Amino acid sequence: MSRVSAEKKEVEDYLAHHKLEACINEVINRCMHEKPSDPYKYLSLALSEFSTSTKGITHLHAREIVGPHGVPTLEVEVGTEDGSSRAEAPVHDPRSPANDAQDEDEEKAETKEEDIPPAKVLLELVDGDASRHDGLGKLKAAAHVIETIQARLIELSPVNQSDIDDILKELSPDVGANTTLCVSMAVCRAGARIKNVPLFKHIAELAEREEMCLPVPMFSCLRGNLLAFDRISMLPTQAGTFREAVEIGSKMHASLGKVLRDHVGEGVSIGTSSDGAYVLPGVSDPEQAMMLVLSAAEGAGVRDRVQFGIDVAADAFFENENYNLGFKNPAADPKSDTKCNEEFLGYLREFREKFPSIATLEDPFAAEDIGMLHAITDELSDQMQIALNRLPSGDSSRIAYAAEHKAGSAVVLQLSQFETISDIIKCCADARERQLGILLASGAHESATENFIVHLATGLASGQVKTGSAEHSAAKCNEGSRIEDLMGAEAFYAGSRFRAPF
């Protein structure tokens, strides 16, 4: 072989080994598509994504931190050579009455003849030491990150989310789904950092989506210690931008506080729930609660710019094939407050007729009452969203079951229902494939500091996201405003199209 031929082969081998031609063509095509103002800087950053010298994970660290209402949770840091990325696990509190109801649902599902796929069971790792945080500490979870997970992820690229998530799912039964999810979230942030793109865009790329939009924030407004329905929320669907939606939410929260204080009078305190919603004592009638919320919207001057959501959470008061609206109220009349499923459908129908600004109804019937979930979807889904949480439970097989029975027009997907970000992305794709809307949430107890869910909702174009109250959700609202600025002229707020933005 001549010297020239040998040199040519050496060059060809070098190009082939590093896949230079394919990489350069890819970034040039991306540059032409994006048309950045500084193409040289863009090409430099884009080519750095293919570097193997700086993109590997160098270390993991974790600690127990305090979440809403003093409930401990886990925080994870993923380090690379160019910095660290942090995430906070969604807070789950098994002391919550809602979780008691979910346990009862699972027991009933075992004896029910309906062929509902079994709900997936995820381990949430807690310390179990009753002397600390009622046994809910996360020191064991933090130790697993450092002692078990770290060794498996060192030198792996955070850009390869699915590969890392496969490892995390393998470890989940031993280290806890709360642990793997938190690591997965931090890895996702690290991947965006290495690619030098915003987190929401990185998520969109992981999901192979081009369309992105800012979600309508669903602000928690009102709950009641005697109220059968779990909560009333507000959606600024007529806002023009996300920032405007936040302003509406703040006005509404302040106005509702004044309305409620006037209603209860002096000497009666009004508390707040874990997501920042006002907790109104003494009111057991959902219509009265709704009227108070409407009065607050009028007082804030936003009545024509908002719609409302009702989380019925019917599983909590489904007893002996009936729905007991007085289950929280010791003074309730069992005869008048207990309704068979057909009567309860009529009640919900009349409730919507009285309050046509209700845009979404969550879990209007128990998860096992599949026939009635189909009936209300068939009758009312053209007027409002019928969102299901308990039936799908973040499980693709249960989403398919609901779709096959035409039960619900949307699914509620909570971060806390998943082991990894890849699982959430897949579940969203499965729901969208079945023409179902997607309402994203963090979990039963919204964090006041973690804003990952806003990037997730934007990148996956869910169109809607639960945020907690306007006062409680400052981190999420502020991050949404930053995202809107980053998107610039391409920023699109879902608004009235929250059920199907695209």
Side-chain angles (χ1 to χ4, degrees):
M1 180 183 295
S2 67
R3 184 174 62 82
V4 173
S5 298
E7 290 177 351
K8 181 179 179 182
K9 186 177 185 307
E10 182 180 353
V11 169
E12 290 174 347
D13 289 345
Y14 182 82
L15 291 172
H17 175 72
H18 293 286
K19 301 178 181 177
L20 278 175
E21 186 175 0
C23 292
I24 290 171
N25 285 336
E26 179 181 334
V27 297
I28 289 175
N29 288 334
R30 282 162 53 184
C31 184
M32 294 303 296
H33 177 74
E34 297 283 345
K35 294 181 174 60
S37 58
D38 187 343
Y40 297 104
K41 182 177 180 181
Y42 180 93
L43 288 170
S44 173
L45 291 171
L47 282 169
S48 70
E49 295 176 22
F50 298 96
S51 169
T52 59
S53 62
T54 62
K55 67 183 181 180
I57 292 173
T58 57
H59 69 276
L60 269 69
H61 189 66
R63 61 182 64 86
E64 175 189 86
I65 62 172
V66 177
H69 288 222
V71 181
T73 189
L74 178 69
E75 183 178 79
V76 170
E77 290 182 10
V78 171
T80 60
E81 288 186 13
D82 62 345
S84 63
S85 302
R86 184 183 301 140
E88 177 183 330
V91 176
H92 173 77
D93 186 358
R95 299 169 297 189
S96 167
N99 292 299
D100 295 338
Q102 186 170 4
D103 293 340
E104 292 170 7
D105 294 342
E106 291 172 0
E107 290 175 7
K108 286 188 283 189
E110 292 177 359
T111 60
K112 194 72 177 173
E113 293 184 3
E114 289 282 2
D115 189 26
I116 302 177
K120 61 185 178 183
V121 179
L122 300 180
L123 166 71
E124 182 186 20
L125 185 66
V126 297
D127 293 345
D129 179 1
S131 67
R132 296 185 66 257
H133 297 295
D134 292 334
L136 302 178
K138 301 299 188 295
L139 298 179
K140 288 182 179 179
H144 273 306
V145 172
I146 298 168
E147 297 170 6
T148 305
I149 298 176
Q150 179 172 224
R152 297 289 301 274
L153 302 191
I154 290 295
E155 296 186 359
L156 298 183
S157 170
V159 173
N160 299 327
Q161 184 80 38
S162 61
D163 293 343
I164 290 176
D165 284 349
D166 285 343
I167 294 172
L168 293 174
K169 283 177 68 68
E170 174 193 332
L171 297 173
S172 179
D174 297 320
V175 304
N178 54 325
T179 310
T180 58
L181 175 63
C182 194
V183 174
S184 184
M185 291 166 64
V187 166
C188 195
R189 278 203 168 103
R193 173 193 287 269
I194 285 174
K195 290 168 63 176
N196 198 37
V197 298
L199 178 57
F200 65 87
K201 186 171 183 180
H202 175 52
I203 290 171
E205 290 172 354
L206 290 174
E208 299 181 345
R209 288 195 59 83
E210 292 188 4
E211 303 96 344
M212 294 177 285
C213 71
L214 286 148
V216 173
M218 184 179 287
F219 293 112
S220 293
C221 292
L222 185 63
R223 307 179 80 170
N225 61 344
L226 298 180
L227 196 63
F229 296 170
D230 187 61
R231 82 192 70 201
I232 300 173
S233 300
M234 183 273 289
L235 298 83
T237 54
Q238 302 306 309
T241 64
F242 187 87
R243 183 175 281 103
E244 188 179 332
V246 172
E247 181 183 351
I248 291 172
S250 298
K251 287 181 178 179
M252 178 70 184
H253 186 78
S255 179
L256 182 57
K258 182 179 184 303
V259 167
L260 297 181
R261 285 189 291 273
D262 291 344
H263 175 77
V264 301
E266 295 183 6
V268 180
S269 62
I270 299 172
T272 57
S273 64
S274 60
D275 66 353
Y278 290 112
V279 177
L280 180 63
V283 173
S284 59
D285 181 8
E287 290 188 20
Q288 184 183 8
M290 192 69 198
M291 290 300 297
L292 290 168
V293 173
L294 288 174
S295 177
E298 292 284 356
V302 299
R303 179 68 188 83
D304 60 344
R305 303 172 74 189
V306 301
Q307 291 178 285
F308 299 94
I310 306 293
D311 185 357
V312 179
D315 294 86
F317 53 93
F318 184 56
E319 304 171 356
N320 301 319
E321 306 299 319
N322 292 312
Y323 292 88
N324 178 13
L325 287 167
F327 80 109
K328 290 182 181 177
N329 186 3
D333 179 3
K335 290 184 179 179
S336 61
D337 287 326
T338 301
K339 304 179 186 299
C340 70
N341 52 19
E342 290 290 348
E343 290 171 336
F344 191 48
L345 175 59
Y347 175 86
L348 293 173
R349 181 191 303 119
E350 292 176 8
F351 195 84
R352 175 56 167 70
E353 289 172 354
K354 289 179 182 177
F355 304 106
S357 56
I358 294 175
T360 182
L361 205 62
E362 183 177 338
D363 285 346
F365 287 91
E368 64 187 84
D369 202 353
I370 193 72
M372 296 312 297
L373 287 172
H374 166 75
I376 195 170
T377 302
D378 184 59
E379 181 177 341
L380 298 179
S381 63
D382 61 333
Q383 303 173 36
M384 62 180 174
Q385 174 176 264
I386 307 298
L388 303 186
N389 185 354
R390 289 292 177 81
L391 178 57
S393 295
D395 189 297
S396 291
S397 64
R398 290 169 71 94
I399 290 174
Y401 178 87
E404 288 165 6
H405 288 77
K406 298 181 179 177
S409 60
V411 294
V412 182
L413 300 179
Q414 298 180 171
L415 275 173
S416 57
Q417 294 171 331
F418 297 91
E419 296 169 294
T420 68
I421 295 304
S422 296
D423 288 344
I424 299 168
I425 291 172
K426 180 183 182 303
C427 207
C428 283
D430 291 342
R432 188 170 270 123
E433 185 180 347
R434 292 173 170 83
Q435 307 300 309
L436 294 170
I438 300 167
L439 171 54
L440 291 178
S442 294
H445 299 268
E446 294 287 348
S447 168
T449 55
E450 177 59 81
N451 56 37
F452 188 95
I453 192 71
V454 184
H455 284 274
L456 188 70
T458 302
L460 297 180
S462 68
Q464 49 188 324
V465 64
K466 290 187 178 184
T467 61
S469 73
E471 182 181 56
H472 184 81
S473 60
K476 300 180 185 69
C477 291
N478 292 338
E479 193 69 4
S481 295
R482 296 182 190 106
I483 291 171
E484 194 165 51
D485 287 343
L486 282 171
M487 296 180 80
E490 296 181 358
F492 165 47
Y493 174 67
S496 59
R497 293 163 57 182
F498 72 94
R499 294 175 65 175
F502 297 101

